[in-house]
Amino acid sequence: MQLESNQLSQHEKEEIDKEILKFPIKQSACLEALMIVQHGRGYVSDGMLKVVAEYLEMSATELDSIATFYNLIYRKPVGKNVIRICDSVSCWIMGYDKLCAKVCSDVGANLGETSKDGLFTVLPTQCLGTCDHAPAMLVGENLHRDLTVDNVTGVLDSYRGEGQ
Amino acid sequence: MEKPLTHHIDSNKGPLTIAEWEAIGGYRSLRTAFQSAPKDIIKMISDSGLMGRGGAGFNTGFKMGAVPQGENAPKTKYLICNADEMEPGTFKDRWLLEGAPHQLIEGMIVAAHAISATCAYIFLRGEYKVAQRALENAVKEAYEKGYLGKNILGTDYSLEFHVHMSAGRYICGEETALINALEGRRAIPRAKPPFPQTSGLWGKPTLVQNVETLSNLSHIVNNGPAWFKSLGLANDAGTKLFGVSGKVKTPGAFELPMGTPVREIFEKYGGGMRDGLKFKAFLPGGASTDFLLESHLDLPMEYTSFAKAGTRMGTGQMIVLDDQTCPVGMILNLEKFFKQESCGFCTPCRDGLSWTARTLDAIECGKGEMRDIEILQRHARLLGPGNTFCALAPGAASPLATGLRIFADEFEEHIREKRCRYENLHR
Amino acid sequence: MKIYIDDQPLEVKEGQNLLHAALSLGFDVPYFCWHEALGSVGACRQCAVIQYRDADDKKGRLVMSCMTPAVEGARISIDHPDAKSFRASVIEWLMTNHPHDCPICDEGGECHLQDMTLMTGHNYRRFRFNKRTFKNQDLGPYINHEMNRCITCYRCVRFYRDLAGGTDLNAFSSSNRVFFGRAEDGQLESEFSGNLVEICPTGVFTDKQFKQNYVRKWDLQVAPSVCQLCSLGCNITPGERGGIVRRIQNRFHSEINGYFICDKGRFGHTFVNSPDRLRKPLVRASRSSVQTETSYDDALAGLQSKILNAKATVAVASTTASLETNFALRKLVGPDNFFSPESQSQFDCVQFAHSVLQKRDLKSASLKEIEESDAVLIIGEDLTKTAPMMAFSVRQVVHHQAQKTALQLQIPKWNDAAIRNLVTEKTGPIFSLQTNVTKLDDVAEIKIQCDVSRMESIAAAIAGAHSDNLSAEDEKTARAIAEKLKGAQKPVIIAGASLESLALMKAAVQIAQALKAQIAFVLPASNSLGVHILGARSPSELKARLGNKVDLAIALHVENEKCDLTAADCIVAFDYINGPNVTRADIVLPVASFAESTGTLVNNEGRAQRFFRVFSPSEGLQDAWHLLTQIGSSYSSINDLTKEMASEIADLAGLDMHVTSSDFRICGQKIPRASSELSGRTAINANKTMHEPKPVQDPDSPYAHSMEGASAFVPASQAAVFWSPGWNSVQSLNKFQDEVGGPLKGGPSGFLLFAPRSETL
């Protein structure tokens, strides 16, 4: 993907403009704007934060204040696939601890870290709303559930072959 | 048994298209609603006894009635669907969002019209990608069919409609924090009064309702308040999406009449405990509710009966604790969740929950001290409603207070023995 | 209306919250996030009290007093054990992360957190885990950042963003990792950032400049003073020890600066300690020789003989020197020889302002009145640069209007967050005509950027005059502004001398007269008006005079003024700091800086305010007026000089009755300049002599250079030290106001020289 590191692409601008139309105040679209940038680049860098702030006519401090409140916005680089393992109560009862240990060892990264091959970042997440199929995790946008220490390796492997 | 909310949902297929929805009577309620005066629709909803399905259980009609109407009211008004389902143990709204998006949209149009809203938002969890696609598609279909946008069904009522994805954080489920999040700000809650109906989204009158609540509206309009009341088995009206999670045989979400006994939900639908495990306790409706015991299984699962018993039903989706899972570990997990999700605005929640979580962690790791119990009890007492800025910390205090009481001996054992007796089972 | 606090019936005014009411009545209720200027948000939970439903309710429930309206019959208990216990718990929670820094923290001794900790009685640490820590940022040369001390009260960002309009300070992250700072290291951009050091209740934001010469608060010698760096006359409290000005704090004045001052006033005092300070008189035999040190006696004798022998003398006033100093100079040379140091166009502008005020038919708006205005027109003044605190006041207009809107929905004006959520519009009824982009542009509903001549046409059009060279669009805008001003109840017209356009000032006055609006002049310097009141003659006359032979030219504060006196045979400079103009003088007489002298200034409103010396000048330095009067007549104290000035200058009639006389005593005692805890008074000189020196006398003020003196019954508007038992921080101010946020007990200080005839203040 040909994205300039300190510039919004034409496509990103169009997407952001569409979001701005949903609100009476331009700055209210800031979270959407950050997610659009993150969608194409994996995370929101300091440089891109400034660019988005300028595009929305707010200060970088203002935008970063908002961005750092929310956990779905990454302000540090992440791997190709972000694994988010639910660690809330139902998944915990159903075996989160062992599952998490397995995922971390499979992938080669602890919670909060990115694997050396850059393929995976492992993060905890709050209740994913699929408690009857616990334990569960997200890999990127994909929900994987009814996980066990045995079947999770297969799930992870399905992300290794792809380019993304 | 009537299951108006879910009988048409087929989890294997995907949501009904607008044509399929209309074929089974969908969007019919709009004609009725638009022919009535908004205050009559609100009265109908009040009379039906519908109580907010997000966990608070406030009479929906009364809530709608608080939105200013008439010539002196502001012209711009908002309806927001709170689809930010994040209460641990809760998975009912996902079912409706993924399976019946038109049911929700129709209900939202009914509500929006009743409060003369000019614009509606669905505030949807950022993680619910399948629901996002279903809803965005359904919204597009509804616009194309003229159920949304300008001059709906040829009347002079217009409604702008948007799906907004959240950027995370549990506190966004609190209605005033949600409003701040939708405004693109930090999701700190707002003090009430003023209530959102007076000053909400961008300072305008706003009504925030849960997915399940709104999904009921078209059925109430179609069938009338008496019908809705008749569906309940005890005091509260309508059906409810209940659920069971934990180590039971058939965990899941179930639409059942309000007032179905807890035991029935747990044993008949949840299948009871898995073989080899015994029931120990349960949280009736998500992480923010009290630990309840075997004796509570005979309660009718509804807001009123639970309130009479001195507790709360919450979301109505129970989390079951078995006898081979550490209760201290479970409470630790719950408090860690709340500590992490604290927005950081008020002192007791921000600093109190952190202390609570670390104390529990110490106890669970065998580093607890006897005075820790008193410190935890003090926190459970002090983090009460009114003492904190919003209801997050009082929600955290519910399982803590009851858990400390019910599992007192297990806490003491952890501290005395300096170990968790369940440690081989979990780690 | 009546409320009950611990069963005691008390009268309170309508519209307050319980915390404000309780504090105003003198009760000690702890708080952090509430501030009179910021309103209530209910974040810290420190102000908890028990509220009862009625007389029969024995149980009550905990409420936050800052968020609870005081209604008729309200019953609360501050002393209820549950309330006390909860308040102690709040401190305990804050202490879980707060570093035990007091011995090395600058805030210690004037720390609101210390005070509140003691007030709640929490004193035992049960928390045994590690504290969360942060990395600090470099916020520039004025503000120090120490985030570990943060108690997350949110005051800093609420002040910085909501009141000061700053965009580069905010809260980051969530939960107990909330961090207040900038997106990245760098100097804070707001001109009001210095107020963070007073608004922060702990030592997160402290005065970095003060750190270079740090001393504990209780060791400081202080006195009521007035900032000399612009024409607004904000009240300040400079603090000194060991002959060095250490720092400047805000001194509350209900009508002018309120709780805040700008960074110029707060940090712009280092010149007092500068090595460029003139300490010894200098003379030179001729223009070609070098200046050499001499004694005061010799220098004064030399000056006296020059005056006696001079046939043509001119004296140049200073717009930053006190009335007394300027008057003494005027007396020495005679009114005919007394000239203004301004440029001609500046002179014309200030002269015009003076004549308008003298007419007394237009009221001059105070900063408080500007805040409460419902329409403000700013003509050609970049207020953020020329009168920063006036810019600050203009910003508050937007919020005041929002408060009015909110009241219609029964949202009280102290419910700060609710009001800011209700009114999302950032601009208000502020109309700005400027020659460039300004920092107030973001709050102005209508703003035009244009050159001076176009501005003059637009201003004239607003006043109702028609101008041929006005474009249709400008005409339309002018009309729109005029309409909005007409529809307002309390409009204020702001204009000044910055663009040196008399036409602009005339238009401003015309508009004000037509609307019966208040006028606010922005003048170039702290005593510009004073110089005109004393009848200083015009610069063109001075130029003409210098065209002929002038034997002697005497000038005050030459470094601040730009007039060229080299045509005179002999130049005598009275100044406090060295510089190129001083090196051109033939006789240099060093004088005390503002911090070492007493005098009266007249601000842009026409308010005469006396500033008092904080510490006695060293090495024979004296007030300029004192030196000058040694040559002419002498006075035993400034009292007599002021009296004579008041009787001779019409505008100053009655001035001597309205400034604190140097004879003022309380039960025979002077008012102390220092707290009773001042340390080392005897030890500090022990390396020089064992004998304790006699305290320096100050004949010109009722203040003693000592901690000894009246310890009680000091009128608030005269007090130097604002201390109250249990209140060591700036929050002690509550005890010195009749009503929290209101004027100091006894009324606001200063004497309005041009009050419309019907008013007494």
Side-chain angles (χ1 to χ4, degrees):
Chain A
M1 209 167 276
Q2 243 67 4
L3 287 169
E4 296 292 328
S5 62
N6 279 322
Q7 225 182 324
L8 284 169
S9 71
Q10 189 52 36
H11 175 72
E12 284 172 327
K13 282 191 190 153
E14 285 167 10
E15 289 297 298
I16 294 173
D17 288 345
K18 268 198 230 146
E19 295 299 325
I20 290 174
L21 288 175
K22 295 181 183 171
F23 302 102
I25 301 176
K26 185 194 260 198
Q27 287 78 17
S28 294
C30 62
L31 288 166
E32 275 83 346
L34 291 172
M35 295 301 265
I36 286 164
V37 165
Q38 181 167 294
H39 191 258
R41 299 159 190 265
Y43 79 112
V44 179
S45 66
D46 289 350
M48 283 314 294
L49 182 98
K50 283 205 188 99
V51 168
V52 173
E54 217 179 285
Y55 192 72
L56 295 174
E57 291 173 75
M58 38 196 312
S59 71
T61 299
E62 193 82 30
L63 183 58
D64 211 11
S65 157
I66 298 164
T68 54
F69 184 87
Y70 294 95
N71 59 311
L72 293 184
I73 296 177
Y74 308 133
R75 290 277 288 112
K76 289 197 326 210
V78 291
K80 285 212 163 66
N81 304 284
V82 180
I83 302 170
R84 302 192 41 223
I85 313 181
C86 174
D87 68 355
S88 292
V89 67
S90 299
C91 284
W92 177 82
I93 290 173
M94 302 304 284
Y96 158 79
D97 285 328
K98 290 200 170 121
L99 176 73
C100 183
K102 184 75 167 63
V103 168
C104 289
S105 85
D106 255 18
V107 146
N110 288 324
L111 278 177
E113 293 176 359
T114 303
S115 59
K116 284 205 172 55
D117 56 11
L119 269 181
F120 296 104
T121 299
V122 190
L123 295 172
T125 194
Q126 324 90 325
C127 181
L128 288 171
T130 183
C131 318
D132 51 345
H133 296 281
M137 71 184 188
L138 282 170
V139 182
E141 292 184 355
N142 306 319
L143 179 65
H144 299 280
R145 43 199 203 168
D146 294 310
L147 294 168
T148 66
V149 294
D150 298 316
N151 68 18
V152 74
T153 310
V155 169
L156 295 169
D157 283 343
S158 68
Y159 290 94
R160 285 185 215 275
E162 305 162 356
Q164 293 220 46
Chain B
M1 184 191 300
E2 282 194 72
K3 300 194 185 189
L5 294 174
T6 58
H7 73 91
H8 49 272
I9 298 180
D10 184 344
S11 300
N12 298 319
K13 271 173 81 183
L16 296 178
T17 64
I18 195 165
E20 290 167 337
W21 178 248
E22 282 174 317
I24 59 167
Y27 289 106
R28 178 163 54 95
S29 69
L30 296 193
R31 281 165 233 282
T32 318
F34 282 31
Q35 275 160 21
S36 320
K39 66 170 165 63
D40 293 333
I41 297 295
I42 294 178
K43 181 157 191 312
M44 183 189 278
I45 296 168
S46 289
D47 289 346
S48 76
L50 173 66
M51 295 159 95
R53 299 292 198 242
F58 198 64
N59 182 299
T60 305
F62 288 174
K63 202 172 171 187
M64 293 171 89
V67 177
Q69 298 269 36
E71 281 185 3
N72 294 327
K75 291 283 164 289
T76 306
K77 286 189 258 190
Y78 296 102
L79 171 70
I80 302 176
C81 169
N82 185 345
D84 193 49
E85 178 167 70
M86 236 191 268
E87 181 73 34
T90 307
F91 47 102
K92 62 184 181 71
D93 293 342
R94 180 197 275 278
W95 191 11
L96 296 173
L97 293 162
E98 291 177 358
H102 281 292
Q103 180 173 250
L104 173 62
I105 294 171
E106 185 179 346
M108 284 180 72
I109 300 172
V110 168
H113 178 260
I115 63 167
S116 310
T118 48
C119 180
Y121 292 92
I122 297 180
F123 186 92
L124 179 61
R125 256 197 96 158
E127 292 93 332
Y128 278 15
K129 288 297 175 191
V130 173
Q132 179 187 10
R133 285 191 281 275
L135 283 166
E136 283 177 348
N137 196 47
V139 168
K140 190 153 150 283
E141 288 181 317
Y143 263 102
E144 282 164 2
K145 262 294 173 75
Y147 292 128
L148 291 173
K150 293 220 173 353
N151 304 110
I152 300 173
L153 297 179
T155 65
D156 55 13
Y157 181 64
S158 302
L159 181 66
E160 202 184 312
F161 201 101
H162 302 291
V163 176
H164 166 98
M165 303 304 288
S166 91
R169 287 269 96 95
Y170 165 74
I171 190 67
C172 294
E174 202 277 346
E175 70 173 2
T176 59
L178 190 158
I179 289 173
N180 276 336
L182 194 47
E183 287 190 17
R185 299 156 69 179
R186 290 163 62 85
I188 312 284
R190 298 179 179 187
K192 299 190 271 209
F195 289 85
Q197 292 93 320
T198 306
S199 168
L201 194 56
W202 298 295
K204 301 285 180 274
T206 305
L207 181 70
V208 182
Q209 299 281 182
N210 175 263
V211 170
E212 192 185 343
T213 313
L214 291 165
S215 297
N216 272 293
L217 293 182
S218 65
H219 304 293
I220 293 173
V221 169
N222 286 336
N223 302 302
W227 162 83
F228 193 70
K229 276 210 164 88
S230 74
L231 296 174
L233 296 179
N235 300 291
D236 297 353
T239 59
K240 176 84 178 69
L241 299 190
F242 296 112
V244 190
S245 68
K247 289 190 175 153
V248 294
K249 291 207 179 82
T250 52
F254 319 104
E255 183 179 2
L256 296 167
M258 268 289 214
T260 302
V262 183
R263 192 182 293 280
E264 191 178 317
I265 300 171
F266 166 51
E267 287 174 357
K268 180 168 173 203
Y269 294 92
M273 300 312 298
R274 285 190 191 166
D275 296 332
L277 295 173
K278 284 219 262 306
F279 168 90
K280 195 156 182 182
F282 72 107
L283 300 171
S288 310
T289 48
D290 296 327
F291 273 105
L292 301 177
L293 298 169
E294 176 107 40
S295 53
H296 295 98
L297 289 173
D298 294 316
L299 280 175
M301 189 76 131
E302 56 159 22
Y303 292 114
T304 307
S305 295
F306 270 64
K308 280 207 189 103
T311 182
R312 282 173 297 114
M313 184 183 84
T315 59
Q317 300 206 287
M318 50 193 289
I319 305 165
V320 180
L321 172 64
D322 58 275
D323 66 334
Q324 286 179 35
T325 297
C326 179
V328 174
M330 180 169 171
I331 295 170
L332 167 62
N333 178 281
L334 292 166
E335 298 307 312
K336 274 210 305 227
F337 168 82
F338 288 114
K339 177 262 167 187
Q340 175 187 280
E341 293 307 309
S342 165
C343 75
F345 195 61
C346 79
T347 309
C349 176
R350 180 187 67 239
D351 294 323
L353 286 181
S354 168
W355 192 350
T356 301
R358 285 156 93 179
T359 306
L360 288 165
D361 193 51
I363 294 173
E364 178 68 349
C365 298
K367 296 204 176 84
E369 297 175 12
M370 280 324 276
R371 63 175 182 162
D372 287 344
I373 304 287
E374 196 250 309
I375 291 173
L376 290 170
Q377 284 168 339
R378 189 171 166 78
H379 277 81
R381 207 168 20 93
L382 289 181
L383 268 48
N387 297 4
T388 54
F389 194 69
C390 79
L392 187 149
S398 289
L400 180 65
T402 47
L404 283 169
R405 201 171 12 95
I406 294 171
F407 308 115
D409 50 342
E410 299 211 41
F411 274 92
E412 276 168 39
E413 189 191 279
H414 274 73
I415 296 172
R416 222 179 31 247
E417 307 287 316
K418 298 202 188 324
R419 55 176 275 276
C420 169
R421 87 157 96 114
Y422 306 85
E423 58 196 349
N424 296 322
L425 300 165
H426 267 274
R427 314 263 153 118
Chain C
M1 65 164 94
K2 206 191 294 277
I3 67 169
Y4 298 85
I5 299 183
D6 286 302
D7 293 322
Q8 194 187 341
L10 297 148
E11 280 296 318
V12 301
K13 278 207 277 213
E14 303 248 355
Q16 299 183 74
N17 59 69
L18 287 168
L19 177 65
H20 186 277
L23 289 172
S24 298
L25 289 164
F27 288 93
D28 284 343
V29 180
Y31 62 88
F32 288 112
C33 61
W34 174 87
H35 187 284
E36 174 62 23
L38 293 172
S40 309
V41 283
C44 67
R45 314 316 273 176
Q46 185 63 70
C47 63
V49 299
I50 294 284
Q51 185 177 39
Y52 301 98
R53 253 189 338 266
D54 50 42
D56 298 321
D57 178 9
K58 292 297 166 232
K59 189 158 179 281
R61 64 182 183 126
L62 208 66
V63 297
M64 299 306 132
S65 54
C66 74
M67 293 295 278
T68 312
V71 296
E72 174 68 54
R75 286 176 175 276
I76 63 167
S77 169
I78 299 173
D79 291 338
H80 192 290
D82 287 352
K84 279 183 147 154
S85 166
F86 186 82
R87 293 196 299 260
S89 287
V90 173
I91 295 285
E92 184 174 31
W93 282 317
L94 295 175
M95 286 300 153
T96 58
N97 284 316
H98 194 77
H100 284 61
D101 258 9
C102 291
I104 56 161
C105 173
D106 291 6
E107 198 87 347
E110 53 176 351
C111 176
H112 188 54
L113 177 62
Q114 278 180 338
D115 288 346
M116 299 298 98
T117 303
L118 283 163
M119 191 181 287
T120 61
H122 166 74
N123 60 6
Y124 186 76
R125 186 174 186 75
R126 297 185 293 173
F127 183 80
R128 63 177 198 277
F129 305 108
N130 291 341
K131 304 181 187 185
R132 60 98 180 91
T133 57
F134 298 104
K135 276 213 194 87
N136 300 318
Q137 289 184 316
D138 180 356
L139 297 175
Y142 299 120
I143 310 287
N144 195 66
H145 197 217
E146 187 62 53
M147 264 306 293
N148 292 347
R149 298 174 182 156
C150 184
I151 58 169
T152 328
C153 70
Y154 288 85
R155 269 189 177 189
C156 54
V157 290
R158 288 170 59 213
F159 165 77
Y160 198 90
R161 298 172 67 228
D162 295 342
L163 263 60
T167 58
D168 67 328
L169 185 79
N170 216 326
F172 295 82
S173 192
S174 64
S175 188
N176 66 345
R177 301 175 314 266
V178 169
F179 180 93
F180 298 103
R182 302 181 83 245
E184 54 192 10
D185 282 25
Q187 181 167 355
L188 286 167
E189 291 163 8
S190 168
E191 289 80 1
F192 309 103
S193 63
N195 294 296
L196 290 171
V197 314
E198 289 191 52
I199 208 116
C200 175
T202 78
V204 175
F205 295 105
T206 51
D207 186 331
K208 204 184 234 179
Q209 208 172 71
F210 184 21
K211 264 189 182 310
Q212 291 160 22
N213 285 314
Y214 185 75
V215 129
R216 287 296 182 196
K217 172 190 182 154
W218 63 77
D219 277 343
L220 286 170
Q221 181 172 213
V222 295
S225 186
V226 175
C227 178
Q228 324 251 325
L229 298 177
C230 83
S231 65
L232 294 178
C234 299
N235 286 201
I236 54 175
T237 302
E240 171 271 356
R241 182 170 173 88
I244 304 174
V245 170
R246 305 289 178 145
R247 63 111 182 253
I248 291 192
Q249 275 200 323
N250 179 65
R251 181 185 168 87
F252 181 82
H253 194 294
S254 55
E255 312 307 304
I256 312 177
N257 47 299
Y259 290 92
F260 310 112
I261 51 174
C262 77
D263 289 3
K264 252 202 304 195
R266 187 181 296 274
F267 301 115
H269 59 79
T270 52
F271 69 89
V272 178
N273 306 331
S274 163
D276 289 337
R277 282 292 303 279
L278 294 165
R279 303 270 176 203
K280 287 252 167 355
L282 302 165
V283 282
R284 62 178 175 192
S286 68
R287 286 281 153 93
S288 49
S289 48
V290 147
Q291 292 172 332
T292 51
E293 286 183 3
T294 180
S295 71
Y296 272 101
D297 287 337
D298 287 346
L300 285 171
L303 174 57
Q304 190 144 28
S305 94
K306 289 239 176 346
I307 290 174
L308 284 171
N309 296 325
K311 292 202 184 53
T313 308
V314 299
V316 184
S318 169
T319 53
T320 58
S322 65
L323 283 173
E324 289 80 5
T325 294
N326 277 307
F327 180 75
L329 179 62
R330 178 184 186 268
K331 193 160 181 222
L332 188 63
V333 301
D336 284 340
N337 299 320
F338 183 67
F339 295 89
S340 154
E342 300 155 307
S343 71
Q344 186 60 44
S345 40
Q346 256 187 355
F347 178 88
D348 292 338
C349 288
V350 183
Q351 187 82 318
F352 175 69
H354 180 216
S355 67
V356 168
L357 291 173
Q358 276 181 317
K359 285 210 196 77
R360 287 174 160 79
D361 57 359
L362 273 185
K363 187 169 185 301
S364 199
S366 67
L367 290 188
K368 175 142 170 269
E369 285 166 326
I370 291 175
E371 274 192 30
E372 294 170 353
S373 161
D374 55 351
V376 173
L377 171 62
I378 311 169
I379 304 180
E381 280 295 326
D382 185 351
L383 295 175
T384 312
K385 297 209 178 79
T386 59
M389 285 312 293
M390 192 182 283
F392 188 88
S393 294
V394 169
R395 284 203 161 272
Q396 312 317 314
V397 168
V398 182
H399 187 59
H400 274 261
Q401 293 304 105
Q403 283 175 328
K404 282 206 209 126
T405 310
L407 222 48
Q408 293 165 17
L409 290 173
Q410 279 94 50
I411 301 173
K413 67 179 169 73
W414 42 260
N415 194 342
D416 193 71
I419 296 167
R420 291 184 194 276
N421 288 331
L422 177 70
V423 180
T424 54
E425 189 54 67
K426 294 278 173 279
T427 63
I430 298 155
F431 321 114
S432 178
L433 311 178
Q434 304 288 346
T435 53
N436 42 258
V437 164
T438 75
K439 272 196 165 179
L440 276 181
D441 288 355
D442 62 318
V443 294
E445 220 170 75
I446 303 177
K447 45 187 175 276
I448 304 182
Q449 194 182 325
C450 59
D451 63 25
V452 177
S453 71
R454 190 171 144 213
M455 197 184 295
E456 286 168 358
S457 305
I458 297 173
I462 300 172
H466 176 71
S467 187
D468 286 324
N469 44 1
L470 199 62
S471 74
E473 186 171 345
D474 282 349
E475 177 115 32
K476 197 156 151 257
T477 313
R479 231 178 306 133
I481 294 175
E483 281 306 309
K484 287 194 195 259
L485 290 171
K486 255 195 238 125
Q489 312 280 41
K490 305 189 267 189
V492 174
I493 317 296
I494 302 174
S498 298
L499 293 173
E500 300 189 8
S501 158
L502 198 51
L504 284 177
M505 293 187 74
K506 284 197 164 138
V509 171
Q510 271 176 306
I511 298 167
Q513 280 166 339
L515 296 167
K516 298 211 191 349
Q518 290 188 291
I519 189 86
F521 290 118
V522 176
L523 304 175
S526 57
N527 206 18
S528 295
L529 204 51
V531 162
H532 285 255
I533 286 169
L534 292 172
R537 300 180 64 180
S538 80
S540 59
E541 288 175 306
L542 174 62
K543 199 158 167 220
R545 194 67 87 73
L546 288 168
N548 300 322
K549 182 164 160 51
V550 170
D551 300 312
L552 180 64
I554 310 177
L556 293 170
H557 292 187
V558 288
E559 272 313 295
N560 286 335
E561 317 294 0
K562 302 292 180 275
C563 42
D564 183 4
L565 299 169
T566 43
D569 285 355
C570 175
I571 304 172
V572 178
F574 286 78
D575 210 335
Y576 51 85
I577 198 146
N578 206 353
N581 285 349
V582 172
T583 52
R584 281 197 267 273
D586 302 301
I587 303 180
V588 178
L589 286 149
V591 297
S593 71
F594 82 97
E596 302 149 307
S597 63
T598 300
T600 312
L601 299 171
V602 182
N603 78 350
N604 68 319
E605 283 175 273
R607 190 187 301 260
Q609 302 190 94
R610 176 150 291 181
F611 60 93
F612 296 92
R613 82 175 190 196
V614 178
F615 62 109
S616 67
S618 61
E619 303 166 40
L621 277 178
Q622 297 169 58
D623 289 27
W625 66 262
H626 207 254
L627 281 178
L628 285 162
T629 54
Q630 277 174 39
I631 305 171
S633 44
S634 84
Y635 301 87
S636 57
S637 81
I638 200 174
N639 261 7
D640 300 333
L641 176 55
T642 310
K643 225 181 191 147
E644 186 177 318
M645 189 171 67
S647 62
E648 212 176 291
I649 309 289
D651 284 342
L652 299 178
L655 176 65
D656 54 319
M657 306 298 291
H658 284 94
V659 288
T660 310
S661 162
S662 48
D663 297 332
F664 178 71
R665 297 289 182 272
I666 296 160
C667 302
Q669 294 187 303
K670 285 195 130 184
I671 303 170
R673 282 188 170 84
S675 107
S676 55
E677 277 127 2
L678 182 102
S679 64
R681 190 178 73 164
T682 46
I684 206 165
N685 286 314
N687 60 331
K688 298 200 196 87
T689 166
M690 286 303 295
H691 301 285
E692 186 184 335
K694 188 163 171 242
V696 178
Q697 296 302 301
D698 175 12
D700 299 315
S701 82
Y703 298 97
H705 285 295
S706 161
M707 79 284 271
E708 287 153 335
S711 58
F713 308 118
V714 179
S717 40
Q718 268 77 38
V721 178
F722 285 91
W723 178 84
S724 186
W727 296 85
N728 298 284
S729 77
V730 297
Q731 306 297 310
S732 63
L733 183 61
N734 296 336
K735 299 289 186 190
F736 294 84
Q737 297 162 314
D738 267 326
E739 180 197 6
V740 173
L744 292 177
K745 287 182 180 163
S749 57
F751 176 46
L752 285 169
L753 299 173
F754 304 108
R757 286 164 222 282
S758 57
E759 292 182 27
T760 50
L761 188 66

